[in-house]
Amino acid sequence: MNRFYVIGISDSPCPFFSPEVKQVIAKHRIFSGGIRHHEIVRSILPKQSVWIDIKTPLDEVFRRYQTYQESIVVFASGDPLFYGFANTIRKRMPGANIVLYPWFNSLQMLAHQLMMPYQDMRIVSVTGRPWHELDRALIERCPKIGILTDHAHTPAVIARRLLEYGYVQYKMYVGMNLGNEDKQSIRCFSIQQAASESFETPNCLILESTGERHRRPFGIPDAEFALLDGRTKMITKMPIRLLSLSMLNLHEKSCLWDIGFCTGSVSVEAKLQFPHLHIDAFEVREEGRRLMNENMRRFGTPGIEMFIGDFLELDLDKLSGLGTPDAVFIGGHGGRLPQIIQKVSRYLSQQGTIVFNSVSADSLRLFCESLAPVGLMLKEKIHMTVDSYNPITICKAERQSNKV
């Protein structure tokens, strides 16, 4: 069984090590870490030591680890369990024995320098990761967000994303080269200022609310959406929209498909009320792209993935980033409802739910008749009339094996 001693360090050129850690270093021969870590600790490593660079592809790194029968000492930044390399070892080598000597992580060091209590801070990493968790924190109006960055998701890029979706009610504190006494720098910006700045790496940042409130309505008024040619009938009305989302049980779901999104009202409302969701939205009309983008910006709901084209002709297996849906809303079907249900059924999770808004007796009949052949069954239907519009029947279907 491999044994690892994982030692957290800062970027200080003269890091502090306890007597116990110094003894661990002195007694071992095989060491590993990033190139930056090697430069920091090179002078204190024993003679005849072997160094394994941690770099991609990681398969090669772990192959080398497994060639040694002796223990390996790994240097990692900050707290190796905080989005760190100790987690990677546990994932790649579940049986490995790990002894951990953590240091402060970068966000802790930034908070310490600012004398900022951080027990209420939402932690988000965009280091080699998508925007989803940052988007979620913003939509949930978190008053304090700590963000781990990378070379692509820089403070300036993050600030521009906040600007695009209207999240300007924050101050941005950026810490650069934290732990390196000669290079460390901490600066405070408005979101507008940060968007045009350049920053030294490595860095991290904390967003702190200025106290202003970013509006988050429960039920977006129809008139506030950008509409298709200004046509108010081409939108799922707010009461219908909220009831449809309720029937999808979205608080228990992880991935929503919105088929025939048109203005994007259902996707935008779902993202606003359930920001944990991954949402994939489909629309045949190219104009839908502009409308969705506009409405995402208006209501501060980044992260909705759009796919323009005929849903039945899209090769869903080849679409990057597409999740397995456990909730599907069918807002438009172009007269091919049975074919759409058949295609959806091939991807719908075992606990998945479909909601369809029927505007006619024919579409209601088609929906009901299309379920059984693909192993689905009607669970619920609710009739509703809004103002002077035609009645709507909201239908909910699930796998036949699902319990009520």
Side-chain angles (χ1 to χ4, degrees), residues 84-342:
F85 197 69
N87 295 324
T88 306
I89 296 173
R90 293 177 68 210
K91 182 178 179 181
R92 295 267 186 155
M93 304 175 70
N97 188 330
I98 300 174
V99 179
L100 189 68
Y101 299 95
W103 188 247
F104 296 111
N105 68 62
S106 58
L107 288 172
Q108 285 178 310
M109 289 193 287
L110 179 54
H112 294 164
Q113 291 293 323
L114 296 170
M115 285 298 293
M116 177 188 290
Y118 60 90
Q119 69 274 1
D120 58 341
M121 184 164 65
R122 173 76 69 87
I123 305 298
V124 170
S125 175
V126 290
T127 306
R129 292 172 169 84
W131 292 109
H132 180 76
E133 289 303 321
L134 175 57
D135 293 343
R136 177 178 179 177
L138 293 170
I139 296 170
E140 291 177 352
R141 305 332 190 227
C142 293
K144 197 179 294 177
I145 308 171
I147 306 175
L148 300 175
T149 64
D150 64 15
H151 291 285
H153 303 84
T154 67
V157 171
I158 291 169
R160 288 194 286 271
R161 188 171 181 85
L162 268 63
L163 278 178
E164 181 177 3
Y165 293 99
Y167 292 98
V168 296
Q169 76 282 16
Y170 288 100
K171 290 182 291 185
M172 179 183 285
Y173 297 95
V174 182
M176 294 164 278
N177 297 300
L178 293 172
N180 187 325
E181 296 84 353
D182 298 329
K183 296 182 178 180
Q184 177 172 291
S185 173
I186 297 172
R187 301 173 65 190
C188 177
F189 303 89
S190 69
I191 301 304
Q192 293 87 342
Q193 291 169 333
S196 57
E197 289 284 332
S198 58
F199 299 90
E200 292 183 33
T201 56
N203 59 58
C204 65
L205 64 92
I206 295 175
L207 298 175
E208 183 179 38
S209 173
T210 59
E212 302 172 31
R213 295 187 62 83
H214 189 290
R215 181 169 169 261
R216 187 185 179 189
F218 180 74
I220 304 170
D222 301 338
E224 294 187 13
F225 283 97
L227 301 172
L228 182 64
D229 301 324
R231 295 154 64 187
T232 56
K233 291 187 177 181
M234 297 296 288
I235 187 173
T236 302
K237 302 296 179 292
M238 188 254 284
I240 304 292
R241 192 186 321 134
L242 292 179
L243 183 54
S244 297
L245 297 180
S246 172
M247 293 175 70
L248 282 166
N249 297 322
L250 292 178
H251 61 289
E252 299 177 350
K253 308 296 186 181
S254 61
C255 179
L256 167 68
W257 282 8
D258 179 7
I259 301 174
F261 66 75
C262 190
T263 63
S265 65
V266 169
S267 288
V268 167
E269 187 83 66
K271 192 69 172 177
L272 195 63
Q273 308 309 333
F274 306 93
H276 70 280
L277 283 175
H278 294 269
I279 301 179
D280 299 312
F282 304 85
E283 173 58 46
V284 68
R285 288 168 288 212
E286 180 61 35
E287 179 66 5
R289 190 190 308 274
R290 180 189 66 81
L291 291 170
M292 177 71 88
N293 279 324
E294 172 63 24
N295 287 320
M296 287 167 63
R297 287 191 291 267
R298 284 191 185 188
F299 303 107
T301 55
I304 298 169
E305 295 289 337
M306 281 181 285
F307 302 93
I308 304 299
D310 188 328
F311 179 78
L312 292 175
E313 294 180 5
L314 291 175
D315 187 346
L316 302 182
D317 294 326
K318 294 184 179 179
L319 292 180
S320 61
L322 197 63
T324 300
D326 48 12
V328 175
F329 176 78
I330 302 177
H333 55 85
R336 296 180 293 174
L337 184 58
Q339 296 94 319
I340 288 176
I341 292 174
Q342 184 179 52

